[in-house]
Amino acid sequence: MSTNHLFDGLLGARESDSRTLLRVPAGASWSYAEIVELSGKLANLLREQGVKPGDRVAAQAAKSVQAIALYLATVRAGGVFLPLNTAYTRAEVDYFLEDAEPTVFVCDSARAREFEGIEAQVFTLDADADGSLIPASNSLPVEFENLERGPQDLAAILYTSGTTGLSKGAMLSHDNLLSNALTLVDYWRFTAADVLLHALPIFHTHGLFVATNIIMICGGSMIFLPRFDLDAMIEQLPHATSLMGVPTFYTRLLADPRFERELVAHMRLFVSGSAPMLAETHVQFEATSGHRILERYGMTETNMNTSNPYAGERRAGSVGFPLPGVEIKITDPENGAALAPGETGMIEVRGPNVFLGYWRKPEKTALELRDDGFFITGDMGKFDADGYVHILGREKDLVISGGYNIYPKQIETEIDALDGVTESAVFGIPDPDLGEVVAAAVVLEAGAALDQEHILSALQPLLARFKLPRKLVLLDKLPRNAMGKVQKNILRDRYG
Ligand code: MLC
Ligand code: AMP
């Protein structure tokens, strides 16, 4: 039998396991064996569609068990899974399709018309499993001989934006994903008794790889919510042992009077990441629930890098220690020289979790991934005296809103291209719910007949709604320093 590094590691031992892997609040549930069978049918379909080892399967699909099975099917067929945020517009998706050239593209039926005529074979998959994908695989066998794939073979591409405004596809290998999930199962003590309340989207590292891969490995189960919804959270928390979320999950729970100590007294673990959590949230959460949130730090390119300890002190405002097998180095951003503990600098990461490079962008890879294997994260931080890592800022121009990364450059490029605009600056301003939200300062050409409303409506077909500026100010000129660089810190202070 051929080996498929990631699939064997995730589900190799559970192909005929009748225990529940996943259930939805309405009551339906799927066993490990059923999900493996569904992935077998879908893998047969992908092969029938011509998917060969290394070919991409892109999906902009709602969160569903079938979408998880599609991820597994792609891995089994030797393909490369490429999940896309469901909020991306046609214009945004076009870029990914052109760059990644998938063999198969799966999208929601409601949007299928938009993608008529594209190169890839298009199938549809809706939140309720309607659409053409499942019927097309129904009559195919559940048996599928997995394609041979080794640790270094590509398993997924996740796009992450860059400072140039153009997204780059982070290439993740079978072992990047498997080694990190195995480490986390151990570090966070996941067992078959765990029930994870899963309310994250499944088009990012956090919800797709960290959450689901961990559960498959430990043999536990998931309560699968379509999205974060407070009523559903309050209803399902009593049935869960663990939760993974972005800080917004925790601040929203804390603001709800139904979120009380008794509701979660039975729970084992709350994990937070993807965006900075205020120390204040950490403290308040413990006071209300009696649990200390375990904060960890990760990235699309590296999976998880550091984590607060399970048993030791979970330190508010810190992201904990480098995970076993992961090295963290703090360096001088000017010359890459290693800095001493206590000094603030660039966070660099090396380990089996670090990606293979950017898809078809060797020049970008060379800028961020050093020859010795260290990845330059763009995050600034330090080690404290006890070896805990603290993130103290970002060198990359990035807004993190509710755990979504938004690159100002992409938005500035679209605003600057509008008729009547001279230039713009996009920056993050604090927001009590989402951590940060996007704001824009725009300079118009003399006499331009544009206002805020026109600008926002012109941006709508171009940018996913979560990227649209929540605040837009018109200025005569942008503040600049002596070098001519726009001073976003001044804008942030003035309008934040
Ligand atoms: C939704 N909206 C957002 C937003 N989410 N705006 C800014 N930032 C966000 N994160 C907008 C929508 O466009 C919509 O706008 C309005 O808010 C309501 O939409 P919604 O779908 O009802 O939103 P809501 O349920 O409030 O979603 C908020 C959220 C969600 C925080 C629950 O964004 C979320 O689940 N975030 C998790 C992101 C994540 O998984 N990140 C991991 C990345 S991996 P309008 O205009 O239409 O009204 C990574 C590595 C690592 O970073 O370390 O993990
Ligand atoms: P992404 O590109 O979506 O994978 O986002 C990764 C970025 O999210 C990191 O480079 C950090 O800037 C940020 N991030 C992730 N986890 C944390 C955390 N616990 N605290 C602060 N920032 C975080």
Side-chain angles (χ1 to χ4, degrees):
M1 223 181 70
S2 59
T3 54
N4 181 294
H5 189 71
L6 179 56
F7 185 81
D8 295 348
L10 295 178
L11 290 169
R14 302 192 200 280
E15 297 195 4
S16 41
D17 193 334
S18 60
R19 289 170 317 122
T20 299
L21 167 54
L22 188 156
R23 76 170 175 81
V24 294
S29 67
W30 287 264
S31 68
Y32 277 86
E34 284 168 323
I35 289 179
V36 171
E37 285 187 2
L38 182 56
S39 75
K41 288 181 176 218
L42 289 169
N44 276 303
L45 177 68
L46 294 177
R47 189 168 53 192
E48 210 178 82
Q49 294 302 315
V51 172
K52 296 182 300 304
D55 285 354
R56 279 76 56 210
V57 173
Q60 188 185 32
K63 186 173 174 181
S64 68
V65 62
Q66 290 75 16
I68 293 289
L70 180 66
Y71 151 55
L72 296 168
T74 305
V75 171
R76 298 181 70 177
V80 179
F81 192 59
L82 195 177
L84 293 168
N85 192 324
T86 46
Y88 289 151
T89 60
R90 166 75 206 252
E92 289 171 307
V93 174
D94 270 349
Y95 170 82
F96 301 119
L97 297 180
E98 272 165 36
D99 192 53
E101 300 184 298
T103 308
V104 169
F105 175 56
V106 177
C107 68
D108 199 277
S109 320
R111 297 191 60 187
R113 292 279 298 276
E114 292 180 53
F115 296 103
E116 269 171 17
I118 66 167
E119 276 293 307
Q121 283 297 329
V122 178
F123 288 93
T124 54
L125 175 64
D126 304 343
D128 55 7
D130 275 358
S132 62
L133 184 76
I134 299 304
S137 67
N138 262 344
S139 59
L140 298 174
V142 294
E143 294 80 24
F144 182 83
E145 174 84 17
N146 293 343
L147 274 279
E148 177 87 33
R149 296 271 90 185
Q152 295 310 312
D153 284 319
L154 208 51
I157 295 178
L158 261 63
Y159 276 85
T160 162
S161 291
T163 39
T164 54
L166 279 187
S167 289
K168 302 165 288 185
M171 299 191 289
L172 297 159
S173 70
H174 277 236
D175 201 51
N176 288 153
L177 303 181
L178 184 61
S179 68
N180 204 238
L182 285 167
T183 301
L184 294 171
V185 167
D186 222 37
Y187 209 76
W188 295 342
R189 303 194 189 174
F190 271 88
T191 69
D194 266 294
V195 181
L196 177 77
L197 182 52
H198 192 305
L200 289 160
I202 55 165
F203 41 70
H204 281 311
T205 298
H206 198 165
L208 182 61
F209 300 137
V210 182
T212 60
N213 288 351
I214 283 182
I215 289 299
M216 290 184 220
I217 290 173
C218 75
S221 68
M222 293 183 271
I223 305 170
F224 224 47
L225 301 186
R227 50 188 284 277
F228 181 91
D229 170 82
L230 263 174
D231 291 343
M233 295 294 289
I234 300 292
E235 202 181 290
Q236 297 300 330
L237 277 168
H239 309 292
T241 62
S242 45
L243 173 69
M244 289 181 195
V246 295
T248 303
F249 283 22
Y250 295 106
T251 50
R252 287 189 185 176
L253 284 171
L254 280 172
D256 192 304
R258 295 170 294 176
F259 184 75
E260 291 180 326
R261 198 170 271 252
E262 295 73 55
L263 187 78
V264 291
H266 65 288
M267 281 191 67
R268 184 180 76 76
L269 182 64
F270 294 88
V271 178
S272 176
S274 308
M277 190 175 71
L278 296 175
E280 174 191 314
T281 308
H282 188 95
V283 171
Q284 263 180 24
F285 194 87
E286 186 175 15
T288 303
S289 72
H291 293 279
R292 282 176 94 89
I293 295 174
L294 187 155
E295 188 174 3
R296 81 343 173 240
Y297 160 53
M299 294 185 74
T300 302
E301 288 93 334
T302 62
N303 296 275
M304 299 304 103
N305 299 318
T306 72
S307 170
N308 270 282
Y310 188 85
E313 183 199 343
R314 299 179 191 171
R315 194 166 283 189
S318 146
V319 291
F321 305 112
L323 286 167
V326 177
E327 293 170 78
I328 299 269
K329 192 163 81 167
I330 307 293
T331 60
D332 182 333
E334 298 297 322
N335 56 27
L339 297 177
E343 291 188 295
T344 299
M346 176 65 71
I347 301 178
E348 299 195 22
V349 188
R350 180 164 72 179
N353 54 319
V354 173
F355 75 142
L356 303 180
Y358 294 113
W359 171 256
R360 291 179 178 167
K361 288 194 171 41
E363 67 299 344
K364 297 268 186 246
T365 305
L367 286 177
E368 294 178 33
L369 194 55
R370 296 186 191 279
D371 291 341
D372 63 4
F374 272 99
F375 175 66
I376 306 166
T377 61
D379 293 313
M380 303 293 285
K382 66 165 191 190
F383 279 106
D384 70 17
D386 302 317
Y388 285 79
V389 175
H390 295 250
I391 298 177
L392 298 165
R394 295 190 284 270
E395 213 210 34
K396 50 194 175 194
D397 189 14
L398 163 70
V399 178
I400 303 185
S401 183
Y404 284 156
N405 281 12
I406 302 172
Y407 281 82
K409 186 73 191 170
Q410 184 196 4
I411 304 171
E412 289 162 1
T413 305
E414 299 295 2
I415 298 177
D416 293 351
L418 300 177
D419 267 350
V421 170
T422 304
E423 60 174 352
S424 63
V426 169
F427 50 97
I429 52 175
D431 181 80
D433 180 38
L434 297 168
E436 285 182 294
V437 291
V438 172
V442 181
V443 179
L444 298 180
E445 286 167 7
L450 266 185
D451 60 16
Q452 278 100 329
E453 222 173 285
H454 280 107
I455 296 174
L456 285 175
S457 63
L459 293 177
Q460 281 195 21
L462 305 172
L463 297 170
R465 293 188 69 83
F466 68 87
K467 298 178 187 170
L468 295 177
R470 299 281 176 103
K471 179 175 219 162
L472 200 153
V473 291
L474 299 177
L475 301 182
D476 293 333
K477 61 179 173 48
L478 299 176
R480 290 180 187 279
N481 66 14
M483 313 279 286
K485 193 169 174 318
V486 176
Q487 292 168 299
K488 292 194 177 178
N489 53 332
I490 293 185
L491 291 169
R492 215 169 281 130
D493 292 346
R494 202 181 294 161
Y495 301 104

